[in-house]
Amino acid sequence: MATIRKRSEGTYQIRVSCGYGVDGKQRKQFKSYKPEPGMTPKQIEKELTRQAVLFEEECKRGQITSAVKFEKFTEQWFEEYAKVNLRPASYARMKQFTKRVYPAIGHKRLDKITARDIQKFVTDMLVNGKNMNTGKPLSRKTAVHHLSFISDVFSYAIRMGMLTDNPCRRVYVPKQEQDEKQIYTIDEVKKLYENLRSEPMKYQVYLLLAIYSGYRRSEMLGLEWKDIDFENNIIHVRRTSQYTAEKGIYTDTTKTRKSKRVSKMPVSIMNLLKHFKAEQEAEAAQLGTKWEDHDRLFTKWNGAPMNPQTPFEWLKGYCERIGVPFRNIHSLRHLHASLLIFEGVDVVAVSSDMGHSVVGTTLNLYSHMFQEAKARNCDAISNALSFTNDIGTEEESPAEDDTETETEQQVLAL
């Protein structure tokens, strides 16, 4: 709201509050107004009101405020907002995004960045961007994540009163043909199982439990022995195990509220867990005071929580040793989902089993699988109603048959 103050020399000062700057201090803008000679007090009052409204609108449009560079403001956003409100893993991921964002728009003033600037950055990522680890082209999902990061920064600037518009709203991320999910075939799973006994017990348990449960890697590594109910053959998912370079390995909450769930397990898996528990207790007893008791199922040699990268490295090496294509660690979760879908489990039940927050997530991730399963339903109905298969196959009467028999052709030839 603009305020007006009369000065002694016959001029007026218009003051507008423009929110807060990156240093947390309130920003104010001032404008002087001097009435034209001969104006009446009523005319001056009316013009002052008009000038105040125009000046306030000018400030709101960001024409005066937000002269800070995008990179500088984003670093302030990390300190003021992200570090307080985001999970450490999300915070670390956002920091990684700056490696591409800052060279593109970090040098520009916050209020000068247009939707076209951001559109150019997003399009260039999809056309020319390469994955830093694999060298493969960047996915649409990666572009969406970067755009979401930029949008979060602009949204914060709006809340701080520094801007009134978020240019990311007008940016379009081009669609790409979705790659088919990499999933182990049943034959590959059979080969993985047949050679598994030569591997350490903890990896035997990890592989089979991952397939039977469909848990995320962070959920698997967050499992503790108190989560295993041997009496009722169920497992509780209550936490995750995460890693960042800054914090190291740490315990966190589940990804969403619905990710906290209970899974019923077959007797074979529970017996394997009992055997694994006995082996781990024997190792702890042998190490004595060197053993760190964290109650985790999956640990390092001394009982400390296992690094999230360890299962990935083991599975990759194991696949190479037995001649099975490595399809990444998350494909075990996709395999679990595909087995449920192809066995006719409905989408709501699959979503609950996978720990998705909404059913729409499950449909988006596995729409192709649900379509294939639905197509097979047609065959199931045909098989069940096989007694109707002769419908529409009536033989034509001889009188209507225009084809000539061999005897008729011989008679006509005479």
Side-chain angles (χ1 to χ4, degrees), residues 198-213:
S198 61
E199 298 297 311
M201 175 60 70
K202 61 184 174 183
Y203 296 126
Q204 295 183 39
V205 174
Y206 187 97
L207 180 65
L208 293 176
L209 184 57
I211 295 173
Y212 272 92
S213 68

Side-chain angles (χ1 to χ4, degrees), residues 121-138:
F121 165 68
V122 169
T123 304
D124 186 64
M125 281 183 64
L126 293 175
V127 174
N128 302 314
K130 299 289 184 182
N131 185 294
M132 297 176 183
N133 296 321
T134 64
K136 294 181 179 179
L138 296 176

Side-chain angles (χ1 to χ4, degrees), residues 252-355:
D252 203 352
T253 57
T254 54
K255 187 174 183 179
T256 66
R257 182 177 57 84
K258 288 190 176 181
S259 293
K260 284 189 175 182
R261 58 199 187 278
V262 179
S263 303
K264 184 79 172 180
M265 289 291 148
V267 174
S268 58
I269 293 296
M270 300 307 290
N271 287 338
L272 183 64
L273 285 169
K274 288 178 183 178
H275 185 58
F276 178 41
K277 189 173 190 298
E279 181 181 284
Q280 191 181 90
E281 288 173 348
E283 291 177 356
Q286 187 175 3
L287 285 174
T289 56
K290 292 182 181 179
W291 180 265
E292 298 180 17
D293 188 11
H294 294 269
D295 199 40
R296 291 286 171 88
L297 272 69
F298 302 104
T299 68
K300 298 178 181 178
W301 66 273
N302 62 346
M306 180 182 286
N307 189 295
Q309 189 66 13
T310 301
F312 176 92
E313 296 295 342
W314 169 79
L315 183 59
K316 184 178 180 182
Y318 178 54
C319 287
E320 291 174 355
R321 289 193 294 274
I322 64 174
V324 171
F326 175 61
R327 306 190 187 282
N328 77 53
I329 201 79
H330 200 70
S331 63
L332 299 175
R333 179 169 162 83
H334 294 322
L335 171 64
H336 174 85
S338 69
L339 293 173
L340 292 178
I341 295 168
F342 292 148
E343 285 300 317
V345 179
D346 67 90
V347 63
V348 176
V350 174
S351 181
S352 176
D353 184 84
M354 299 295 286

Side-chain angles (χ1 to χ4, degrees), residues 15-269:
R15 183 182 67 184
V16 174
S17 176
C18 299
Y20 295 84
V22 294
D23 56 2
K25 296 180 179 180
Q26 189 177 29
R27 292 289 186 260
K28 297 177 183 178
Q29 297 294 335
F30 301 89
K31 180 179 180 178
S32 294
Y33 169 72
K34 185 176 182 179
E36 294 291 331
M39 292 181 68
T40 65
K42 190 172 183 179
Q43 289 174 327
I44 293 173
E45 181 182 359
K46 185 177 180 180
E47 182 61 20
L48 269 173
T49 302
R50 191 179 77 86
Q51 290 289 335
V53 170
L54 290 175
F55 185 56
E56 189 173 13
E57 287 299 316
E58 187 181 11
C59 292
K60 284 182 178 179
R61 286 196 301 269
Q63 294 178 351
I64 295 177
T65 60
S66 312
V68 63
K69 299 292 177 63
F70 180 85
E71 180 175 346
K72 182 178 179 181
F73 180 75
T74 302
E75 287 300 311
Q76 196 70 30
W77 173 82
F78 274 116
E79 291 299 317
E80 294 176 359
Y81 178 83
K83 189 170 280 188
V84 178
N85 294 281
L86 299 183
R87 293 182 177 185
S90 299
Y91 179 89
R93 187 172 64 252
M94 296 282 192
K95 277 289 189 180
Q96 289 295 316
F97 293 158
T98 63
K99 293 180 180 180
R100 288 192 174 94
V101 174
Y102 284 171
I105 61 174
H107 61 286
K108 293 178 176 288
R109 273 178 45 170
L110 196 64
D111 59 328
K112 297 297 183 183
I113 297 174
T114 65
R116 190 171 181 178
D117 293 327
I118 303 171
Q119 183 70 67
K120 184 178 182 300
F121 165 68
V122 169
T123 304
D124 186 64
M125 281 183 64
L126 293 175
V127 174
N128 302 314
K130 299 289 184 182
N131 185 294
M132 297 176 183
N133 296 321
T134 64
K136 294 181 179 179
L138 296 176
S139 67
R140 184 178 188 272
K141 185 178 180 180
T142 300
V144 169
H145 285 166
H146 280 74
L147 177 61
S148 178
F149 162 62
I150 298 171
S151 181
D152 286 347
V153 174
F154 273 101
S155 295
Y156 182 70
I158 291 172
R159 287 199 300 275
M160 294 296 101
M162 300 177 68
L163 293 172
T164 59
D165 178 56
N166 186 341
C168 295
R169 294 186 299 107
R170 295 181 291 280
V171 175
Y172 171 74
V173 182
K175 292 189 180 296
Q176 292 179 328
E177 185 176 344
Q178 193 170 5
D179 294 334
E180 192 170 332
K181 293 194 184 328
Q182 293 187 331
I183 302 176
Y184 288 101
T185 65
I186 294 299
D187 288 338
E188 289 169 346
V189 172
K190 185 178 180 181
K191 193 170 182 180
L192 287 171
Y193 176 76
E194 289 173 347
N195 295 272
L196 198 56
R197 293 187 182 276
S198 61
E199 298 297 311
M201 175 60 70
K202 61 184 174 183
Y203 296 126
Q204 295 183 39
V205 174
Y206 187 97
L207 180 65
L208 293 176
L209 184 57
I211 295 173
Y212 272 92
S213 68
Y215 294 158
R216 301 175 178 91
R217 173 169 46 174
S218 59
E219 294 170 345
M220 290 281 291
L221 298 181
L223 288 175
E224 298 180 359
W225 287 112
K226 58 176 166 286
D227 302 323
I228 315 298
D229 184 347
F230 287 106
E231 184 176 344
N232 297 299
N233 294 343
I234 59 176
I235 298 178
H236 296 264
V237 175
R238 297 185 171 111
R239 73 197 68 77
T240 61
S241 185
Q242 305 284 356
Y243 172 86
T244 64
E246 185 177 308
K247 294 190 66 172
I249 301 172
Y250 65 96
T251 300
D252 203 352
T253 57
T254 54
K255 187 174 183 179
T256 66
R257 182 177 57 84
K258 288 190 176 181
S259 293
K260 284 189 175 182
R261 58 199 187 278
V262 179
S263 303
K264 184 79 172 180
M265 289 291 148
V267 174
S268 58
I269 293 296

